[in-house]
Amino acid sequence: DGLKQCLSEFKRQLAWVERLDVTLGPVTDVTDPVSNSTSDKDAVDPENDFQREMSFYRQAQAAVLEALPRLHKLQVPTRRPDDYFAEMAKSDQQMQKIRQKLKSKQEAMEKSEKAKQLRALRKYGKKVQTEILQKRQKEKKSMLNAVKKYQKGLSDKLDFLDEEQTSSQGNKKGSGSQRIKRGPNAKRRYKNQKFGFGGKKKGSKWNTKESFNDVSSFRAKVAHNKGPGKAGKKALNKRPGKRARQKMKSRAR
């Protein structure tokens, strides 16, 4: 009797919209949750986790399906407005710390990703370099074997020399084409514009087939130091001796 008296003292007879309490069993049919709700405890095995969780889910679903129409009837809004902003429970300082922590974590992840990419690139470059070295060693070994066979008389083919020459010529042609594509620099262009090209210098005095066969300008006397050629010029330009120069000086006095 005392408990009932105390209960009657603090119990308040409030409307349902103030209490919002709904007590139902799990729903089996979505269309009619009230008629299908049941409170049979033996239907769910408490040791089966999946059945137990599903019973909780169905019970909550039944409560929602019953409470929403009642709220709509009482004209209580059940959706949050688009311009609704709720205040954070945490302070700005705490949120700033969380933001800095997330930022540092993101930077660390980016650094780790860059380091991974650099390691992968180094690994790939090392692999390519190793492959090139192995290829060169293989070519060298095959060439040495071919030379040994030729020296011993086991083979009379010199194909390896042709391959080497063609590869070297290809490299030279490639470098020459690169030089032609680049062209002269600004200093060279200015000098060409100011002084001209000047013609070909290297190899200008070399003999050609036509000049070698042309003997029209040949003179035997001049070639063998006869006549007024080189010898005559040398004789005219010969310097007098010391005594002759002294006599000439004494006569002039």
Side-chain angles (χ1 to χ4, degrees):
D1 295 336
L3 289 172
K4 287 180 180 179
Q5 185 180 357
C6 290
L7 180 62
S8 63
E9 287 177 0
F10 65 76
K11 187 177 180 181
R12 296 180 181 179
Q13 297 295 331
L14 298 174
W16 179 81
V17 72
E18 298 292 337
R19 293 180 285 111
L20 296 177
D21 55 343
V22 179
T23 306
L24 288 172
V27 67
T28 57
D29 188 6
V30 178
T31 56
D32 191 4
V34 180
S35 62
N36 288 292
S37 62
T38 176
S39 60
D40 189 5
K41 295 180 181 180
D42 297 332
V44 179
D45 184 10
E47 299 297 330
N48 192 338
D49 295 339
F50 180 74
Q51 287 186 6
R52 190 171 64 251
E53 293 296 330
M54 281 302 296
S55 67
F56 293 154
Y57 171 76
R58 291 293 185 186
Q59 189 175 7
Q61 190 179 16
V64 169
L65 290 172
E66 185 185 357
L68 276 175
R70 292 173 71 177
L71 289 171
H72 292 161
K73 187 181 282 187
L74 295 170
Q75 296 182 355
V76 176
T78 57
R79 288 182 177 274
R80 182 180 294 177
D82 296 334
D83 57 348
Y84 179 82
F85 295 99
E87 291 204 11
M88 295 292 294
K90 297 181 180 179
S91 62
D92 292 340
Q93 294 178 354
Q94 182 71 16
M95 295 303 296
Q96 194 68 21
K97 285 181 182 178
I98 293 170
R99 185 180 178 185
Q100 289 177 358
K101 191 173 182 181
L102 290 172
K103 191 176 179 182
S104 62
K105 192 175 181 181
Q106 187 177 2
E107 288 177 355
M109 288 175 68
E110 288 177 357
K111 286 181 181 178
S112 176
E113 192 67 26
K114 285 182 180 178
K116 282 182 183 177
Q117 290 178 359
L118 286 172
R119 282 197 295 271
L121 286 172
R122 285 199 199 100
K123 197 173 180 181
Y124 180 72
K126 194 173 181 181
K127 184 181 176 183
V128 170
Q129 191 176 6
T130 308
E131 288 178 356
I132 290 170
L133 289 173
Q134 287 177 356
K135 187 179 178 182
R136 286 179 182 172
Q137 289 176 359
K138 190 176 179 182
E139 289 176 355
K140 187 177 179 182
K141 190 175 179 182
S142 63
M143 189 175 181
L144 289 173
N145 291 333
V147 170
K148 286 179 181 178
K149 285 181 181 179
Y150 181 76
Q151 287 175 349
K152 291 178 180 179
L154 299 174
S155 175
D156 56 348
K157 294 180 181 179
L158 295 173
D159 297 338
F160 55 92
L161 294 176
D162 296 337
E163 291 176 1
E164 187 180 1
Q165 287 177 0
T166 51
S167 62
S168 61
Q169 286 175 2
N171 293 331
K172 286 179 182 177
K173 285 179 182 177
S175 60
S177 63
Q178 287 175 359
R179 287 195 205 99
I180 291 166
K181 284 179 183 177
R182 279 185 293 184
N185 55 13
K187 188 176 179 182
R188 181 73 267 165
R189 287 199 300 270
Y190 173 73
K191 286 190 175 182
N192 290 341
Q193 186 179 1
K194 188 176 180 182
F195 302 108
F197 294 95
K200 187 180 178 183
K201 300 292 188 299
K202 190 173 180 181
S204 60
K205 294 185 179 181
W206 288 358
N207 266 337
T208 60
K209 189 176 181 181
E210 290 78 10
S211 66
F212 179 76
N213 294 327
D214 185 16
V215 292
S216 59
S217 61
F218 178 75
R219 298 288 183 272
K221 292 180 179 181
V222 176
H224 298 292
N225 294 328
K226 293 178 180 180
K230 296 179 181 178
K233 286 181 181 178
K234 284 181 182 178
L236 291 171
N237 295 328
K238 189 176 180 182
R239 186 184 179 193
K242 188 175 180 181
R243 288 182 179 276
R245 289 199 304 273
Q246 287 176 354
K247 286 179 182 180
M248 289 169 66
K249 284 181 182 179
S250 62
R251 286 175 187 173
R253 289 176 186 174

